[in-house]
Amino acid sequence: MDAPTFIKRVAELGGFDKAVAERVVRATLLNLGTRIDPGEAHDLASQLPQAIGACLEHDWRAERFPPREFVRRVACVVPLSNEQGESAVRAVFKVLGEAVSEGEIKDVLHQLGANYTALVGAPTGTP
């Protein structure tokens, strides 16, 4: 999936215009990259178009924070209400599931942990 298609799908699922959807994608991926280990962020980025995958890349230790903080950070950057932020994050994760391999999304969801299940879904099987 190319970057314009990824953003278009997020716009459709979230009910955003293209400009807001692009900010939603970048803010969500930036926070996801911060939340997961650098190796996993790199693995996920390698399956996405460079234009959006670059938002995931980092060289520091993952910062562990709960789902509410994840949504708050995305909502602050875009900007959105917290309710809109939850919908936005869900839309990005749905499109991630369409854009990358099943094994990769499982790895990411396993790293996020069970407390993220209500926000982004549950991993199935083993990583």
Side-chain angles (χ1 to χ4, degrees), residues 15-94:
F16 306 116
D17 66 29
K18 182 184 172 204
V20 171
E22 186 169 356
R23 289 194 309 269
V24 162
V25 168
R26 292 185 186 287
T28 302
L29 294 181
L30 180 66
N31 280 287
L32 178 58
T34 301
R35 177 61 180 73
I36 61 178
D37 294 330
E40 192 59 54
H42 175 76
D43 292 348
L44 181 58
S46 72
Q47 292 191 26
L48 293 171
Q50 198 280 331
I52 58 175
C55 296
L56 292 157
E57 299 280 358
H58 66 90
D59 292 330
W60 53 89
R61 187 175 357 161
E63 182 183 345
R64 303 298 180 206
F65 48 86
R68 179 178 288 160
E69 176 63 10
F70 192 106
V71 170
R72 188 196 70 77
R73 290 179 182 199
V74 171
C76 252
V77 168
V78 173
L80 300 167
S81 71
N82 282 338
E83 286 179 5
Q84 291 172 314
E86 284 185 26
S87 296
V89 170
R90 284 190 185 103
V92 173
F93 271 86
K94 174 128 177 80

Side-chain angles (χ1 to χ4, degrees), residues 71-126:
V71 170
R72 188 196 70 77
R73 290 179 182 199
V74 171
C76 252
V77 168
V78 173
L80 300 167
S81 71
N82 282 338
E83 286 179 5
Q84 291 172 314
E86 284 185 26
S87 296
V89 170
R90 284 190 185 103
V92 173
F93 271 86
K94 174 128 177 80
V95 179
L96 275 175
E98 296 169 3
V100 303
S101 72
E102 183 179 345
E104 186 55 39
I105 200 69
K106 285 179 186 177
D107 290 348
V108 168
L109 295 177
H110 274 287
Q111 247 190 52
L112 288 174
N115 60 339
Y116 273 77
T117 299
L119 179 62
V120 299
T124 56
T126 55

